[in-house]
Amino acid sequence: MMHGPCGDLRTSSPCMEGEPKQCRFRYPRQFSDITTHPEDSYPVYRRRNNRMQVHVRGSTLNNRWVVPYNPKLLMMFNCHINVEACCSVIYVKYLFKYIYKGHDRQAVTIDPDGDGGVINEIKRFQDARYVSPPEAIWRIFSFRLSHIQPSVISLQIHLPNQQLVRFSENDVMTDVDSERQKRSMLTAFFHRNRVDITARSYLYKDFPKLYTWQNSSR
């Protein structure tokens, strides 16, 4: 799993882009004794200067040219598979962005004949969405578009008597101030610990595995 060669060793490599030309995969990497995780950036993996060298396409490469990989995956699928650990919430957001982004969109313009040379930019602009036949059938039959396993629930955290209380403009304020309206997931967790001894052996984060939160009765 060696990259290249590129850069000064081979300027005609497909990964060379821009002016001046640079490798878009950031090779060769710098030597590093430990793995670090810069903020909002790719992880910098350990690349020790072990002085080992290999000959690839007429060039001598060292540890700076090694592509991150998993030996088990290479043996299992018998192909090149690059692997980088997902170690930040930024990367998790990147993974799910394409699942929930919706339809592909395109801004197009329509130029009818005989408009007298007058360009109406507002009228000619159209925001179009493309739905492929497989996706159209999938939506017509109401099949599931995405799924998260296991299910994820957001547990409320707040200071004493600072929980969020929702009400509409037609509600009576005396009813809004009732104890039922003041209940939250966190207060229900403490209440369950007071009345149920067995519940005291579970942490707040483990409660959704054993108990359910009913929004109607709170």
Side-chain angles (χ1 to χ4, degrees):
M1 291 294 294
M2 305 295 291
H3 176 78
C6 63
D8 296 336
L9 300 178
R10 187 184 178 195
T11 57
S12 60
S13 178
C15 64
M16 299 295 291
E17 294 180 348
E19 287 295 337
K21 287 190 174 183
Q22 294 180 346
C23 176
R24 61 190 179 98
F25 299 112
R26 310 183 310 280
Y27 283 93
R29 308 288 179 89
Q30 296 298 321
F31 287 120
S32 178
D33 293 331
I34 59 174
T35 298
T36 59
H37 303 282
E39 184 177 357
D40 298 342
S41 181
Y42 289 96
V44 178
Y45 289 106
R46 181 180 65 178
R47 294 175 182 273
R48 293 174 293 187
N49 188 5
N50 52 16
R51 304 186 184 279
M52 294 181 61
Q53 294 181 343
V54 294
H55 296 280
V56 178
R57 301 184 182 94
S59 300
T60 302
L61 307 182
N62 54 21
N63 207 19
R64 298 175 61 188
W65 299 88
V66 176
V67 178
Y69 67 96
N70 184 303
K72 184 177 180 179
L73 293 179
L74 299 185
M75 295 294 294
M76 181 183 301
F77 296 100
N78 191 27
C79 64
H80 291 176
I81 300 179
N82 302 355
V83 177
E84 291 204 21
C86 182
C87 56
S88 168
V89 68
I90 300 297
Y91 313 137
V92 177
K93 179 181 178 182
Y94 177 82
L95 293 174
F96 284 93
K97 178 176 66 175
Y98 294 99
I99 300 177
Y100 298 106
K101 72 180 183 66
H103 304 289
D104 293 330
R105 304 177 63 161
Q106 178 68 44
V108 299
T109 60
I110 301 176
D111 296 324
D113 297 331
D115 56 1
V118 179
I119 299 176
N120 188 336
E121 294 185 0
I122 299 177
K123 186 177 180 180
R124 67 188 292 190
F125 176 82
Q126 184 175 356
D127 187 9
R129 299 184 181 183
Y130 172 76
V131 181
S132 63
E135 183 180 358
I137 292 297
W138 202 265
R139 291 180 177 272
I140 289 174
F141 286 100
S142 301
F143 293 151
R144 181 181 296 172
L145 296 177
S146 59
H147 179 64
I148 296 178
Q149 179 67 30
S151 300
V152 177
I153 184 173
S154 177
L155 297 177
Q156 302 173 4
I157 297 292
H158 57 82
L159 295 175
N161 296 322
Q162 293 190 20
Q163 59 268 39
L164 185 65
V165 178
R166 295 183 175 88
F167 59 92
S168 63
E169 58 183 0
N170 299 324
D171 290 342
V172 180
M173 297 307 298
T174 54
D175 295 337
V176 173
D177 196 44
S178 64
E179 288 300 322
R180 189 182 72 87
Q181 291 290 342
K182 290 183 179 180
R183 294 175 192 166
S184 67
M185 292 183 181
L186 186 60
T187 59
F189 166 74
F190 291 127
H191 174 73
R192 176 54 56 182
N193 276 266
R194 285 195 299 266
V195 300
D196 187 357
I197 299 178
T198 59
R200 300 174 186 176
S201 58
Y202 302 104
L203 299 176
Y204 185 37
K205 67 181 181 64
D206 298 325
F207 247 56
K209 300 178 182 178
L210 304 146
Y211 300 90
T212 57
W213 169 258
Q214 304 294 336
N215 287 322
S216 58
S217 60
R218 306 188 70 79

